[in-house]
Amino acid sequence: LGMFTLDPGYVNTAACRSAITYLDGEQGVLMHRGYPIEQLAEHSSYLEVCYLLLNGELPTQQEMETFKDNLNRRSLVHEHLDRFYTGYRYDAHPMSIMVGVTGALSSYYHEAMDIQDPEDRLLTAHRVIAKMPILAAHCYKYAMGHPFVHPRYELTYVENLLNMIFAVPHRPYQPSPVAIRALDQLLILHADHEQNASTSTVRLAGSAEANPFACISAGIATLWGRAHGGANEAVIHMLNEIGDPKNIDQYIAKAKDKDDPFRLMGFGHRVYKNYDPRAKIIRKACHDLLNEMDTVNQPMFETAMRLEEIALQDEYFIERKLYPNVDFYSGIILQALGIPMSMFTVLFAVGRSAGWISQWLEMMEDADFRIGRPRQLYTGSQQRDYVPIDKRG
Ligand code: CMC
């Protein structure tokens, strides 16, 4: 019974080989296909990073044009899928809708798709990346009771995403360059992150040769958890709860109290024990955006900045290497961009879909590919005999 190694939370177990993302938690290094995240965040675009994750190389100009064109061709969702939204309660959480509608895409692409065929697999990857922003924006429109806005060919990926969220028929929407850049960078920073819980879920479901859209839906379900992608939303809930910066000390004390389940949302990370390199980049973007948008004096942003400052100096957090993570700042950026809180994790899912589907593709092409099947250390009863119900005391 004791022949397996117990590794709760998979802290020391590599579940696969992967050439996509390199992560060194001790040194605070993150690279995609060998390119440091700092360089990608500064010089690249989300779509270019999608291409890189999928294909292993940065695209040439021509390859990029073809890629954009391929995505544009896939950027329609079946009209019938729109009806799925109306089955949800008016106040349904958009992540619950995303789990449903992404899973429902499997019904449109199942019989006709052969996951053993490399061309079909790549087509599936393009469909996922092209359709996720549409499904995401529709969630918001449904919650608002506004008509769905469809993608426009002449807009970029991020412009389309913002347009599909914010445009209303009587009021043309023109996103600001600051908003476009901030969202593009945010999507880059979320595009892939090695074998995190949601990616591992996609791989495990995919290892059973499940429909890839259903696998992505499983990834979305995992991402929704507040210990994972739900943290950016939890950060804003926490900031609202703290309210005034003068209450921060009380909340820091709660976070340190082992009898209190409260944790500082947006602090700590399983693998980054030095600093989350994404947080470093996004911290700057966040500070720049707040300055540019002149929001620094709004109480919530003031509370956030004070909290960051105090926690970075507090021994409890320093000792345990609990630094603000990417979700701390992404929540604040999205709030400043006017994106409703319930959509935060949805946008994380849009960004991460590139990583999910790239990892799925890589797994399907792996010579060692086999169904994932973790084992356990059994801790239950020894063998015993069945007792009829009238004889049980
Ligand atoms: N506030 C207060 N104390 C904390 C926090 C926190 N946010 N995070 C960890 N600790 C303490 C924890 O109580 C423990 O203390 P002690 O050693 O005295 O018992 C120590 O730090 C180690 O914590 P852990 O739970 O063993 O660490 P973990 O690697 O299992 O958990 C984590 C990592 C991210 C789930 C956790 O830090 C956490 O719950 N953070 C808040 C939620 C959050 O921001 N999540 C986003 C993660 S990053 C984005 C993503 O991957 O999606």
Side-chain angles (χ1 to χ4, degrees):
L1 285 180
M3 61 191 186
F4 304 112
T5 310
L6 181 64
D7 184 11
Y10 305 102
V11 178
N12 293 307
T13 304
C16 63
R17 291 176 200 279
S18 179
I20 300 177
T21 291
Y22 174 79
L23 199 167
D24 181 337
E26 293 302 322
Q27 302 298 324
V29 174
L30 173 66
M31 297 192 288
H32 296 316
R33 305 283 191 184
Y35 294 102
I37 190 68
E38 291 79 4
Q39 292 183 24
L40 294 174
E42 192 176 341
H43 305 297
S44 187
S45 68
Y46 175 65
L47 267 201
E48 199 178 57
V49 172
C50 289
Y51 185 97
L52 176 68
L53 294 174
L54 279 176
N55 301 288
E57 296 297 334
L58 285 169
T60 61
Q61 195 77 47
Q62 184 56 48
E63 284 165 340
M64 193 61 197
E65 289 312 311
T66 310
F67 183 55
K68 280 185 192 161
D69 190 54
N70 279 337
L71 294 188
N72 269 324
R73 284 160 190 255
R74 311 294 161 211
S75 64
L76 271 181
V77 290
H78 198 289
E79 281 280 304
H80 293 176
L81 195 82
D82 287 356
R83 296 190 206 145
F84 280 71
Y85 288 82
T86 56
Y88 284 88
R89 264 175 65 136
Y90 68 97
D91 59 351
H93 194 288
M95 280 300 273
S96 118
I97 302 181
M98 285 300 282
V99 170
V101 292
T102 310
L105 277 180
S106 61
S107 65
Y108 297 95
Y109 309 106
H110 191 62
E111 296 306 328
M113 177 183 59
D114 177 7
I115 54 171
Q116 304 306 338
D117 178 350
E119 273 184 34
D120 271 16
R121 289 200 292 258
L122 194 59
L123 178 61
T124 300
H126 290 167
R127 282 184 171 136
V128 166
I129 294 170
K131 292 180 204 306
M132 282 292 281
I134 306 170
L135 300 181
H138 283 9
C139 285
Y140 176 62
K141 289 303 194 195
Y142 177 65
M144 295 296 287
H146 290 170
F148 291 162
V149 176
H150 297 287
R152 291 185 1 216
Y153 194 86
E154 73 280 12
L155 298 185
T156 66
Y157 191 89
V158 171
E159 285 169 350
N160 257 319
L161 177 54
L162 284 166
N163 192 58
M164 289 188 291
I165 293 174
F166 289 119
V168 278
H170 60 279
R171 186 160 25 93
Y173 171 71
Q174 187 63 50
S176 79
V178 183
I180 295 169
R181 181 69 194 125
L183 190 55
D184 196 42
Q185 205 173 43
L186 203 130
L187 293 178
I188 294 175
L189 295 179
H190 284 98
D192 191 50
H193 207 229
E194 210 224 35
Q195 306 309 319
N196 58 85
S198 59
T199 303
S200 300
T201 302
V202 171
R203 277 191 180 254
L204 194 56
S207 78
E209 300 192 29
N211 180 290
F213 295 96
C215 297
I216 298 292
S217 164
I220 296 172
T222 309
L223 186 72
W224 190 7
R226 68 180 211 146
H228 192 1
N232 53 14
E233 186 182 336
V235 167
I236 303 300
H237 279 296
M238 175 188 75
L239 291 174
N240 279 331
E241 196 186 313
I242 297 177
D244 198 281
K246 71 175 186 305
N247 300 328
I248 289 177
D249 287 345
Q250 180 196 333
Y251 279 85
I252 297 260
K254 269 165 76 66
K256 297 197 290 193
D257 180 355
K258 292 291 150 199
D259 296 327
D260 191 323
F262 175 79
R263 284 183 165 202
L264 279 192
M265 288 294 114
F267 282 75
H269 199 276
R270 169 58 62 79
V271 286
Y272 291 121
K273 298 304 180 193
N274 179 350
Y275 200 88
D276 179 342
R278 302 166 303 167
K280 231 181 226 172
I281 302 163
I282 204 172
R283 176 175 192 268
K284 185 175 177 306
C286 176
H287 285 249
D288 289 351
L289 185 73
L290 293 190
N291 285 328
E292 186 129 353
M293 297 184 93
D294 206 19
T295 44
V296 255
N297 295 324
Q298 290 179 21
M300 175 186 283
F301 299 116
E302 199 187 326
T303 304
M305 295 304 108
R306 285 284 299 140
L307 187 65
E308 176 199 31
E309 205 180 310
I310 293 171
L312 285 174
Q313 291 162 6
D314 190 292
E315 211 163 287
Y316 173 95
F317 293 92
I318 295 169
E319 249 172 35
R320 290 171 180 76
K321 302 190 189 303
L322 299 171
Y323 302 99
N325 58 46
V326 69
D327 287 328
F328 181 72
Y329 299 105
S330 70
I332 298 168
I333 289 184
L334 292 171
Q335 177 82 9
L337 290 178
I339 307 254
M341 203 169 19
S342 61
M343 286 293 290
F344 289 7
T345 315
V346 173
L347 291 177
F348 187 160
V350 171
R352 185 55 56 85
S353 61
W356 289 332
I357 205 66
S358 301
Q359 301 260 356
W360 174 81
L361 264 184
E362 183 184 57
M363 179 187 69
M364 297 300 289
E365 279 154 24
D366 191 339
D368 291 338
F369 173 72
R370 60 203 295 212
I371 189 166
R373 187 18 176 125
R375 298 305 307 266
Q376 63 169 17
L377 297 185
Y378 177 69
T379 60
S381 297
Q382 296 291 324
Q383 181 178 337
R384 48 187 171 162
D385 291 324
Y386 180 82
V387 180
I389 195 163
D390 57 334
K391 301 265 170 11
R392 289 174 215 157

